[in-house]
């Protein structure tokens, strides 16, 4: 339904231009079509046991960069191609931050990270014939795809219904459970509004409830 609504929205824009700017039509017929109800969105995230199992399998993977890639996704909330297409020029290993430029909404954002992801990143050997952190094996100027090794690690870890994008949900869920506000989560994920992060509101509310309960007990 979400895809259908996006297609209708794009088509409606074309008709609007035809009506209001080019004067070749009298009305926009797409406006008569009701939008379909969209799901609230996935909130699948890794519980502690699942995270340990997945990272363990990533360590065992024949792809030597899979562990780092998954750690980056968990530590930064970056999208698939934001991480796979990362360039060395956008990595600051001294301060512990990365800059995502080719984002979904076109905005550039800097995300700080530390811990295991930073330690792993600092030990990675850099190639001098390409600026890509994860260059493809056949074409060094195109990012390497981690889809197959990731799916193999997920299967080996025994995870059900888990995709690479769910690492982003895991990052956001951990932020919410750690007390971050919806505004903090939206800024970290690169969302311009709070609509997309409302799915994590129950986690932030649960945290706030626990804080209030603890305060009242004290």
């Amino acid at each position: 339904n979400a895809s259908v609504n996006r297609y209708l929205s794009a088509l409606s824009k074309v008709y609007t231009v035809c009506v209001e700017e080019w004067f070749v039509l009298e009305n926009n017929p797409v406006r008569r079509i009701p939008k379909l109800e969209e799901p609230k969105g996935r909130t699948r995230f890794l519980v502690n046991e699942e995270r340990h199992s997945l990272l363990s399998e990533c360590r065992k993977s024949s792809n030597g960069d899979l562990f780092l890639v998954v750690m980056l996704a968990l530590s930064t909330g970056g999208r698939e191609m934001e991480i796979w297409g990362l360039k060395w020029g956008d990595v600051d290993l001294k301060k512990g931050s990365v800059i995502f430029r080719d984002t979904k909404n076109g905005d550039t954002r800097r995300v700080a990270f530390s811990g295991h992801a930073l330690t792993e990143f600092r030990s990675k050997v850099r190639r001098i014939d390409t600026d890509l952190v994860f260059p493809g094996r056949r074409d060094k100027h195109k990012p390497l795809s981690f889809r197959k090794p990731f799916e193999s690690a997920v299967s080996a870890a025994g995870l059900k219904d888990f995709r690479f994008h769910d690492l982003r949900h895991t990052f956001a869920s951990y932020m919410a459970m750690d007390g971050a506000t919806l505004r903090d989560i939206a800024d970290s994920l690169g969302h311009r509004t709070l609509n997309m992060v409302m799915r994590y509101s129950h986690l932030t509310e649960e945290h706030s409830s626990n804080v209030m309960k603890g305060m009242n007990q004290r």
Side-chain angles (χ1 to χ4, degrees):
N1 285 4
S3 296
V4 171
N5 286 341
R6 299 296 90 73
Y7 282 126
L8 288 173
S9 178
L11 188 58
S12 179
K13 176 62 178 178
V14 173
Y15 276 110
T16 297
V17 172
C18 289
V19 173
E20 298 180 359
E21 298 183 24
W22 297 345
F23 308 108
V24 295
L25 292 176
E26 294 184 357
N27 58 70
N28 180 351
V30 180
R31 290 180 177 175
R32 302 176 183 175
I33 304 175
K35 289 187 177 181
L36 301 177
E37 184 176 354
E38 298 183 23
K40 294 182 179 180
R42 287 172 64 89
T43 54
R44 174 74 166 93
F45 66 93
L46 295 171
V47 297
N48 288 337
E49 295 78 7
E50 290 180 321
R51 187 181 70 255
H52 291 312
S53 297
L54 177 60
L55 291 177
S56 176
E57 293 302 327
C58 289
R59 275 290 197 193
K60 301 175 187 176
S61 174
S62 58
N63 185 304
D65 287 322
L66 181 62
F67 180 81
L68 172 57
V69 164
V70 171
M71 284 299 301
L72 278 174
L74 289 172
S75 302
T76 66
R79 295 182 179 88
E80 182 177 288
M81 290 313 298
E82 290 175 349
I83 294 176
W84 298 2
L86 196 61
K87 296 182 179 180
W88 283 108
D90 295 326
V91 178
D92 189 332
L93 293 180
K94 290 184 178 179
K95 295 181 178 180
S97 67
V98 294
I99 298 176
F100 294 131
R101 299 188 186 279
D102 298 325
T103 62
K104 189 175 181 180
N105 61 12
D107 292 339
T108 296
R109 72 182 189 279
R110 179 188 294 272
V111 183
F113 69 103
S114 57
H116 295 301
L118 182 56
T119 301
E120 190 76 12
F121 215 143
R122 285 173 173 166
S123 65
K124 179 172 174 55
V125 177
R126 176 177 180 175
R127 286 179 53 171
I128 61 174
D129 59 344
T130 176
D131 193 38
L132 286 173
V133 177
F134 307 109
R137 292 190 173 90
R138 294 185 178 180
D139 187 344
K140 61 186 178 183
H141 299 299
K142 291 184 178 180
L144 181 66
S145 173
F146 290 88
R147 185 163 291 110
K148 288 185 177 180
F150 178 75
E151 291 175 351
S152 296
V154 167
S155 177
L159 304 185
K160 304 298 182 183
D161 186 32
F162 194 81
R163 304 180 298 217
F164 193 92
H165 195 75
D166 293 326
L167 296 172
R168 182 170 162 87
H169 296 315
T170 300
F171 165 83
S173 298
Y174 288 173
M175 282 193 69
M177 289 185 286
D178 203 40
T181 65
L182 292 180
R183 181 72 267 170
D184 292 333
I185 298 173
D187 289 342
S188 296
L189 294 178
H191 292 311
R192 295 175 179 174
T193 68
L194 299 182
N195 293 338
M196 292 296 291
V197 297
M198 288 303 297
R199 70 185 76 178
Y200 308 109
S201 61
H202 67 288
L203 296 175
T204 58
E205 289 169 1
E206 182 178 336
H207 171 80
S208 298
S209 176
N210 291 335
V211 170
M212 292 299 294
K213 186 182 299 183
M215 183 188 70
N216 283 294
Q217 288 175 349
R218 286 192 294 275

